[in-house]
Amino acid sequence: MTSSAPTAFDRGHTDDLMSFLAASPSPYHAVANAAARLEKAGFRQVEETDAWDGTSGGKYVLRGGAIIAWYVPEGAAPHTPFRIVGAHTDSPNLRVKPQPDMGAHGWRQVAVEIYGGPLLNSWLDRDLGLAGRLSLRDGGTRLVNIDRPLLRVPQLAIHMDRAIYEKGLQLDKQKHMQPIWGLGDSVGEGDLIAFLEEESGLSAGEVTGWDLMTHALEAPAYLGRDHELLAGPRMDNLLSVHAGTAALASVSARDGLPYIPVLAAFDHEENGSQADTGADGPLLGSVLERSVFARGGSYEDRARAFAGTVCLSSDTGHAVHPNYAERHDPTHHPRAGGGPILKVNANQRYATDGSGRAVFAAACERAGVPWQTFVSSNSMPCGTTIGPITAARHGIRTVDIGVAILSMHSARELCAADDPYLLANALVAFLES
């Protein structure tokens, strides 16, 4: 499963990924940064409320924390199939509640709700920032990023919980995960939002809604004697969003593409994808259909295009953990540094089948990228992705892939430093082949 063919991306891609992770503490920041990269490659934003034309070139739609971008080659027919890289922009974290101001016993706190399935212990005793989207009285929005130590979830001292050695750490999501951000015996209603208005240069009372979340402040970094590992936040799944963005920007500069390459990065995968910006919503299907119709296509053209379309659903997966190797299938041991993984599950928790495997294998061979296969142990429930949702909702052949990591859903995850650019090279070969 290896080849000696040259690759387009190298370790510089991983350097850029580190910058992307640091600059994208929320899904809203992630799609803004992806859009900025695509703009540099000549893409332009189109509004969903406008009429679309059938011109060639790169276009993208932003909706909340989701982005759909596509490149129409010169002379593309209405029935030209799509090649889609699918990913998601959200990560498990702590999200601010509608009434955020709380506190007790001389401490001021921020009320948070658990989003997705985070490893809660990874958020303890860690300096946290706050980021997201502010909705304004005039109907506009403003991104906000307090990228300095603001919050902290303090762990109980060992002297007050000596039984932890026998029973392990047990955290109550409601009682034990509310972060501290100051001192005081009284908590003023509206204090947090007033603080964010001031930080954002907004007038008092201008913010009427918010979508805010915590983020760990430690910067992404190379790890190990030879800098062969990469540690950082939100790799699940901004690693794939970044790779898909880079791949789409790269292939859009090439002539003679037989397909219409697409990036579809959705929000809310971590809590089921059932949102207007999620993979289980109508956004992707609407964009693809409108692209067909804008080029003068009929419903028959739409059906032909979808029938020939393939989606690579790219999400992080599990590398074999050296301390818990028994948790993995004994015949499938994906290794960090071994290239992207093909995810397979007979019960369709992943959408890969034999024909999809062939598509992925061909792309990796063209790119000279090694690849591996991941299958869950029969004794362990399998996770899932946007892959089966995309396949079922749109009738599109879908293949689940990704990069093998450790510490998935931690505030800080770990992968091999070369795997991100190996994934990006495979995606380029898939989009242009």
Side-chain angles (χ1 to χ4, degrees):
M1 298 181 185
T2 63
S3 172
S4 59
T7 55
F9 295 118
D10 56 18
R11 185 62 75 86
H13 173 89
T14 306
D15 294 338
D16 189 63
L17 168 63
M18 295 166 69
S19 299
F20 185 80
L21 293 172
S24 304
S26 78
Y28 313 107
H29 290 83
V31 298
N33 290 323
R37 282 167 160 74
L38 292 172
E39 290 272 357
K40 289 182 179 179
F43 285 68
R44 62 181 177 86
Q45 184 176 1
V46 294
E47 299 292 341
E48 292 185 81
T49 53
D50 292 343
W52 292 5
D53 60 48
T55 57
S56 60
K59 306 170 186 180
Y60 67 90
V61 166
L62 289 180
R63 183 192 291 185
I67 182 171
I68 311 291
W70 66 103
Y71 180 81
V72 180
E74 191 72 38
H79 60 268
T80 300
F82 301 92
R83 281 280 172 116
I84 305 169
V85 173
H88 68 88
T89 61
D90 59 320
S91 302
N93 54 24
L94 312 178
R95 301 212 168 185
V96 175
K97 289 183 176 181
Q99 297 180 22
D101 300 294
M102 62 177 294
H105 307 292
W107 300 100
R108 299 175 69 188
Q109 295 174 278
V110 174
V112 297
E113 186 174 3
I114 309 301
Y115 178 84
L119 288 171
L120 294 179
N121 61 292
S122 71
W123 291 88
L124 300 178
D125 296 331
R126 191 183 288 271
D127 295 341
L128 304 175
L130 195 64
R133 177 179 66 175
L134 301 174
S135 297
L136 310 181
R137 189 173 298 279
D138 64 4
T141 60
R142 178 78 62 88
L143 296 185
V144 61
N145 181 13
I146 310 301
D147 200 35
R148 66 175 188 272
L150 181 69
L151 305 164
R152 187 179 178 92
V153 182
Q155 189 169 188
L156 184 64
I158 187 62
H159 312 78
M160 298 183 179
D161 189 18
R162 295 189 183 277
I164 192 174
Y165 291 124
E166 290 78 34
K167 67 180 182 180
L169 178 63
Q170 297 181 359
L171 295 171
D172 183 287
K173 293 180 180 179
Q174 178 60 39
K175 294 192 298 183
H176 300 152
M177 297 304 298
Q178 308 305 319
I180 287 169
W181 77 305
L183 299 174
D185 291 322
S186 62
V187 177
E189 183 177 350
D191 279 359
L192 179 66
I193 301 306
F195 164 75
L196 294 175
E197 287 174 332
E198 182 177 356
E199 288 283 318
S200 303
L202 298 169
S203 301
E206 200 169 344
V207 173
T208 55
W210 51 88
D211 301 281
L212 300 167
M213 58 207 71
T214 58
H215 63 276
L217 292 175
E218 189 176 359
Y222 288 113
L223 185 73
R225 184 193 66 181
D226 300 319
H227 293 177
E228 58 195 332
L229 301 173
L230 174 65
R234 299 176 293 281
M235 290 190 195
D236 180 12
N237 185 32
L238 294 188
L239 187 158
S240 294
V241 175
H242 177 262
T245 302
L248 180 60
S250 175
V251 302
S252 68
R254 309 185 186 190
D255 297 325
L257 294 175
Y259 302 101
I260 296 174
V262 179
L263 169 68
F266 302 100
D267 200 355
H268 297 301
E269 188 272 347
E270 297 293 356
N271 60 5
S273 294
Q274 292 185 324
D276 71 318
T277 53
D280 203 20
L283 181 58
L284 176 61
S286 173
V287 168
L288 298 184
E289 287 179 346
R290 291 183 69 178
S291 175
V292 170
F293 298 152
R295 284 176 282 122
S298 63
Y299 181 82
E300 181 71 12
D301 291 313
R302 180 262 189 213
R304 292 175 65 188
F306 276 44
T309 292
V310 183
C311 173
L312 288 190
S313 165
S314 181
D315 202 347
T316 54
H318 303 290
V320 173
H321 197 302
N323 299 336
Y324 301 91
E326 73 280 358
R327 303 293 181 96
H328 298 263
D329 181 85
T331 60
H332 296 79
H333 278 178
R335 300 168 65 98
I341 57 174
L342 178 74
K343 301 179 183 180
V344 179
N345 180 258
N347 294 299
Q348 288 295 288
R349 298 289 284 172
Y350 302 129
T352 306
D353 62 10
S355 65
R357 174 190 170 98
V359 170
F360 180 64
C364 289
E365 183 176 356
R366 287 194 66 214
V369 169
W371 60 279
Q372 315 172 77
T373 305
F374 172 83
V375 179
S376 288
S377 168
N378 288 331
S379 60
M380 189 99 25
C382 179
T384 191
T385 69
I386 66 166
I389 295 171
T390 303
R393 182 169 183 85
H394 305 294
I396 290 172
R397 181 164 48 147
T398 303
V399 189
D400 273 297
I401 66 164
V403 162
I405 70 171
L406 293 183
S407 305
M408 186 182 292
H409 287 198
S410 171
R412 194 169 177 84
E413 297 162 324
L414 182 71
C415 74
D418 292 343
D419 279 339
Y421 74 75
L422 292 176
L423 172 66
N425 283 307
L427 296 183
V428 167
F430 165 73
L431 289 177
E432 71 178 3
S433 63

